[in-house]
């Protein structure tokens, strides 16, 4: 009986690959350039690939500073298509007060929340001392 259940599960996984509960569009593929414009603003520049919909719940933007992770409210970026460039004010994305500078490790990750896959990873150069004061 157990063998029949295992075989049925394997058959379902092979024949119906979308049977995991999500039948939406595949994860976006992009070339995204992210960098600091000044001490509290970052620019997101779409260099190629799929359109990104930051105002939907399907994308998550995470800021990592010295090993700590923060989820950003990047909905103000809206839809970002190839050739688009938009600014994100870090004082308006739900961050607590933070200070960091050029010697600190700062990473931005854009994650497809539907699949849990990494869409973009950017290890940032911080040219100035950054002070976030929401």
């Amino acid at each position: 009986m157990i063998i029949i259940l295992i075989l049925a599960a394997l058959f379902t996984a092979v024949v119906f690959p979308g049977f995991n509960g999500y039948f939406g569009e595949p994860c976006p593929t992009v070339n995204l350039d992210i960098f600091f414009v000044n001490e509290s603003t970052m620019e997101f520049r779409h260099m190629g690939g799929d359109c990104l919909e930051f105002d939907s719940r399907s994308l998550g933007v995470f800021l990592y500073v010295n090993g700590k992770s923060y989820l950003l409210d990047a909905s103000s970026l809206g839809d970002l298509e190839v050739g688009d460039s938009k600014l994100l004010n870090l004082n308006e994305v739900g961050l607590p007060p933070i200070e960091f500078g050029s010697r600190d490790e700062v990473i931005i990750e854009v994650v497809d929340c539907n699949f849990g896959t990494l869409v973009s990873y950017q290890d940032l150069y911080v040219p100035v001392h950054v002070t976030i004061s929401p």
Side-chain angles (χ1 to χ4, degrees), residues 30 32 34-35 42-44 52-64 68-78 80 88-90 93-95 106-113 117-122 124:
V30 298
L32 195 61
I34 305 168
F35 53 91
M42 295 172 43
E43 184 172 335
F44 284 64
L52 294 175
E53 298 174 355
F54 287 99
D55 52 354
S56 72
R57 292 184 178 251
S58 63
L59 289 179
V61 179
F62 295 89
L63 171 70
Y64 295 89
K68 292 185 181 179
S69 171
Y70 304 95
L71 175 62
L72 306 182
D73 176 5
S75 60
S76 65
L77 294 174
L80 197 62
L88 187 66
N89 185 335
L90 294 178
V93 294
L95 287 172
V106 180
I107 296 169
I108 289 284
E109 289 184 354
V110 179
V111 176
D112 183 309
C113 297
T117 54
L118 186 64
V119 174
S120 179
Y121 174 94
Q122 190 87 40
L124 297 177

Side-chain angles (χ1 to χ4, degrees), residues 74-88:
S75 60
S76 65
L77 294 174
D79 291 349
L80 197 62
E81 297 187 25
V82 176
D84 287 349
S85 182
K86 295 187 180 178
L87 301 176
L88 187 66

